[in-house]
Amino acid sequence: MATDAAGKRVALVLGAGGARGLAHIGVIEALLERGYDISAVAGSSMGALVGGIHAAGKLDAYRDWVERLVRNDVLRLLDVTFGAPGFIRGERVIATLRELVGDHAIESLPIPFVAVATDLATQREVWFQRGPLFDAIRASIAIPMVFTPHEVDGRELVDGGLLAPLPVAATRGFHCDLVVAVDLNARGPRPAPAGPVALRETEMFDDDRPPPPAGWRERVASWFSPAAVAPRAPPPPAGGGIAGVLDLMSRSMDTMHSQITRLQLAQDPPDLLIRVPRDSATFYEFWRGRELRALGHRIAADALDAWR
């Protein structure tokens, strides 16, 4: 299968979609297994995070780390703040990733990389092609009301998915044979479980370590309880407390990303579009890394086989 793909240079576009972005790992693995050369990467939000780590040559380390996460691990990465424009500072998760990946300048990465963020003042996209990698990632993942905005060179920057959830245009300056884009907001039924690699329902929430200290962490933990998350249950018609707020935020972001992505694809279609269903995970289910990676791998493999 790798014969036809050998030597083909791919510009890879990784879209926004929260935890569904862990499926990007499986997509990258499927491309590499078939002999494609990922020669450039552009990413928005979670796509910028996974794409930047891959461009730095550290995707295997990130994959191993994220697949060990359980729900309480995700909670421990939340540095909640009050009175700021966003309830998570994001410093703790960025520090953890920096320790795992190392500090890199974008212009020195082995693979050319572009991260897309949004400038609130100018209401325009910002393409990071130089400077510290984690400045770019932190700005691109700054989901409004969830993460505090990130200031770079005096500009207040937030999530790239607001304007460019699938930044195909950011790859057009690269000289590659084809553009492959991964849309995390596709419509359609949720794919069947991936057999033995898919997590059982209990595995998503099991954690035999002690819970976080009482107080605000305990309250935040309740937002991520199995009853609150219930990704396979139909959304509540109204209300629902914090769980309802998270569900509404998740569905609202998915709706926005889906509609903007349709416009972007109509204006600038890639050579191959890989579609990950938007109901495969909510934006905060980062403890489902193993399952989502397997899902991305399977969808990408099927798409590549059908395209060839």
Side-chain angles (χ1 to χ4, degrees):
M1 296 181 67
T3 304
D4 294 341
K8 286 192 175 179
R9 295 165 55 85
V10 171
L12 182 61
V13 184
L14 301 179
R20 288 192 301 279
L22 298 175
H24 289 322
I25 302 172
V27 173
I28 291 170
E29 291 175 343
L31 285 166
L32 296 178
E33 288 169 4
R34 281 160 173 73
Y36 290 97
D37 175 15
I38 299 176
S39 300
V41 181
S44 187
S45 198
M46 191 62 183
L49 190 152
V50 173
I53 291 175
H54 174 66
K58 296 292 185 177
L59 190 61
D60 288 350
Y62 175 72
R63 176 201 62 204
D64 294 344
W65 172 76
V66 80
E67 290 191 1
R68 291 194 298 267
L69 293 178
V70 293
R71 186 165 48 90
N72 278 347
D73 293 327
V74 175
L75 175 62
R76 293 183 183 99
L77 291 171
L78 304 182
D79 43 3
V80 175
T81 183
F82 299 99
F87 68 84
I88 299 173
R89 289 193 300 271
E91 296 172 4
R92 186 172 300 159
V93 66
I94 291 297
T96 301
L97 292 174
R98 183 180 283 113
E99 183 177 351
L100 185 71
V101 175
D103 280 314
H104 299 270
I106 294 175
E107 62 270 25
S108 301
L109 294 174
I111 298 174
F113 171 67
V114 181
V116 180
T118 299
D119 186 325
L120 288 176
T122 64
Q123 299 181 349
R124 303 182 71 171
E125 296 174 33
V126 174
W127 292 4
F128 283 90
Q129 296 174 287
R130 302 182 62 83
L133 174 63
F134 280 104
D135 262 352
I137 289 174
R138 174 62 181 84
S140 189
I141 66 171
I143 301 171
M145 297 183 295
V146 177
F147 286 97
T148 58
H150 189 59
E151 187 173 310
V152 178
D153 296 333
R155 294 179 296 180
E156 191 177 39
L157 305 178
V158 296
D159 184 45
L162 263 67
L163 295 179
L166 194 62
V168 178
T171 66
R172 294 307 187 185
F174 299 118
H175 300 288
C176 295
D177 298 312
L178 64 152
V179 176
V180 176
V182 186
D183 175 17
L184 300 178
N185 296 280
R187 297 180 181 180
R190 185 173 179 170
V197 297
L199 294 181
R200 299 190 308 272
E201 188 73 18
T202 53
E203 288 180 309
M204 296 181 196
F205 305 106
D206 285 346
D207 185 4
D208 55 6
R209 281 170 287 186
W216 64 262
R217 290 180 183 271
E218 191 173 63
R219 293 196 297 274
V220 174
S222 68
W223 305 353
F224 294 86
S225 68
V229 174
R232 294 175 180 80
I242 292 297
V245 170
L246 286 175
D247 177 77
L248 178 61
M249 182 182 296
S250 178
R251 288 185 289 136
S252 299
M253 289 172 54
D254 290 348
T255 300
M256 178 187 71
H257 288 167
S258 179
Q259 295 303 311
I260 297 176
T261 296
R262 288 175 61 192
L263 294 174
Q264 289 185 308
L265 290 173
Q267 294 173 349
D268 199 1
D271 297 291
L272 174 63
L273 178 63
I274 297 172
R275 296 179 180 272
V276 177
R278 65 189 181 202
D279 62 351
S280 55
T282 56
F283 79 91
Y284 48 82
E285 293 182 286
F286 286 95
W287 53 86
R288 295 175 57 194
R290 183 156 46 116
E291 179 187 4
L292 291 168
R293 175 175 68 91
L295 174 66
H297 186 283
R298 185 171 69 257
I299 291 175
D302 290 345
L304 287 165
D305 291 344
W307 183 64
R308 294 176 64 245

